[in-house]
Amino acid sequence: VAWGGKSLAVDFRPPSSGGDVGPYYSSMIHTVRATLANVTGYFPSEEHRPVKLSGFAWHQGWNDGCDANMTAEYESNLANLIRDVRIDLGVPDLPVSIGASGMAGYEPGRRADIVTAQLAVADGDRYPEFDGNVASVDTRPYCRDPSPASPSDLGYHWNNNCESYWLVGKRMGLA
């Protein structure tokens, strides 16, 4: 499940955060449930194999960093997202890998505040229920300069640098 240009505060707003549930949260849950219910329709050769949802990856945050209020509530919204996804998909200990939104590198400001919130959610002292089953990956070291090191200067898409995307995905998978 992936959509660009969306916020956690509005588009993916989890039920536990109060207010209107984000339409993309609802769509994500519906899509995952429908896919799991029809796995053999997509993969007929897997008809006799049990299916298990084994992880949830979250790599988002740029749009929330565009607004001070969204940034301020990001940590609580992310913790609620994890809790609610686990409840709504019926997997109470679903492993979660969070790829911090490090596309701006180490620049201070709201983008750095989003990264801080993303890293905090994996802190077992702060969130004991996530200890050992939620991991955050600091992706800031994978930020590459614009041209000529990258194909573009679109910082919010890692400057379209394939190496950045590959490193983020690899680390999230290993987390």
Side-chain angles (χ1 to χ4, degrees), residues 59-111:
H59 180 55
Q60 180 277 342
W62 182 274
N63 284 57
D64 290 274
C66 294
D67 180 272
N69 292 326
M70 290 180 178
T71 300
E73 67 178 35
Y74 193 89
E75 183 179 333
S76 63
N77 284 339
L78 184 55
N80 288 337
L81 177 81
I82 294 167
R83 292 181 193 109
D84 290 346
V85 163
R86 287 173 166 179
I87 290 167
D88 289 341
L89 296 179
V91 186
D93 59 349
L94 181 67
V96 176
S97 179
I98 302 163
S101 187
M103 295 173 242
Y106 292 95
E107 293 178 21
R110 287 196 305 264
R111 308 252 177 258

Side-chain angles (χ1 to χ4, degrees), residues 1-161:
V1 179
W3 286 281
K6 304 293 178 258
S7 70
L8 177 56
V10 176
D11 301 303
F12 279 96
R13 189 172 192 84
S16 295
S17 288
D20 294 334
V21 174
Y24 287 86
Y25 177 89
S26 298
S27 180
M28 173 183 66
I29 296 299
H30 171 78
T31 300
V32 172
R33 286 177 177 164
T35 301
L36 289 172
N38 189 29
V39 169
T40 57
Y42 298 108
F43 305 100
S45 64
E46 302 301 308
E47 183 176 1
H48 301 292
R49 299 181 91 189
V51 176
K52 175 185 172 188
L53 191 58
S54 60
F56 181 80
W58 185 256
H59 180 55
Q60 180 277 342
W62 182 274
N63 284 57
D64 290 274
C66 294
D67 180 272
N69 292 326
M70 290 180 178
T71 300
E73 67 178 35
Y74 193 89
E75 183 179 333
S76 63
N77 284 339
L78 184 55
N80 288 337
L81 177 81
I82 294 167
R83 292 181 193 109
D84 290 346
V85 163
R86 287 173 166 179
I87 290 167
D88 289 341
L89 296 179
V91 186
D93 59 349
L94 181 67
V96 176
S97 179
I98 302 163
S101 187
M103 295 173 242
Y106 292 95
E107 293 178 21
R110 287 196 305 264
R111 308 252 177 258
D113 294 342
I114 294 289
V115 171
T116 299
Q118 291 167 325
L119 296 175
V121 171
D123 181 342
D125 291 331
R126 232 173 146 139
Y127 296 92
E129 74 268 37
F130 297 161
D131 192 24
N133 56 45
V134 173
S136 291
V137 175
D138 187 352
T139 63
R140 291 174 291 189
Y142 311 136
C143 179
R144 300 296 183 253
D145 290 333
S147 185
S150 299
S152 77
D153 62 356
L154 295 173
Y156 55 89
H157 286 292
W158 294 96
N159 295 319
N160 289 324
N161 186 294

